[in-house]
Amino acid sequence: MNETGYPEHYNRLRGLLRTLRKDVPGPMSGFTHLHHEAMADGTLDKKTKELIALGIAIAVRCDGCITYHVHDALSVGASRDEIVDTIGVAILMGGGPSVMYGAEALQAVEQFETTTQGAS
């Protein structure tokens, strides 16, 4: 991850994605629709889907995805303990590199929780 904190990284990514949606409207419109449909409540609720997405993000080593899905998992009510369990499964599935990315995800949780508590 870069030198900024995760909340700042999240906001930076949101700005980059807005630009991408403007500059590449067709594919991004399709991706946005796919995201909304895939993450909508169904047999699995949004929280479960965000935890799955976070586990995959850790296992495939995507910094931006980890930032987004930690934020979004917390936003839909995932607890720190649920995220920690998700990190454990991601480590199982992704091996040693997922240990490092799991540590990054845990740091993101701590930073988002601190930011949220400070805003209350």
Side-chain angles (χ1 to χ4, degrees), residues 11-114:
N11 290 328
R12 181 177 158 282
L13 288 171
R14 286 185 55 147
L16 292 171
L17 291 175
R18 276 192 297 275
T19 300
L20 195 59
R21 279 192 293 276
K22 184 183 95 192
D23 292 346
V24 189
M28 287 303 295
S29 175
F31 181 79
T32 299
H33 178 73
L34 175 62
H35 179 267
H36 288 299
E37 291 297 315
M39 298 307 275
D41 279 334
T43 302
L44 298 175
D45 62 9
K46 289 179 188 176
K47 179 173 79 170
T48 302
K49 290 179 179 187
E50 284 298 341
L51 292 170
I52 291 168
L54 175 59
I56 293 168
I58 293 166
V60 301
R61 304 171 202 117
C62 177
D63 291 323
C65 298
I66 290 169
T67 301
Y68 248 87
H69 293 294
V70 165
H71 174 274
D72 291 354
L74 290 168
S75 294
V76 295
S79 69
R80 184 180 198 284
D81 289 343
E82 289 170 320
I83 292 172
V84 168
D85 273 354
T86 299
I87 292 168
V89 173
I91 290 169
L92 166 69
M93 299 308 292
S98 292
V99 171
M100 297 302 140
Y101 281 84
E104 294 282 341
L106 193 53
Q107 183 181 30
V109 170
E110 292 166 0
Q111 288 182 14
F112 280 117
E113 286 179 334
T114 299

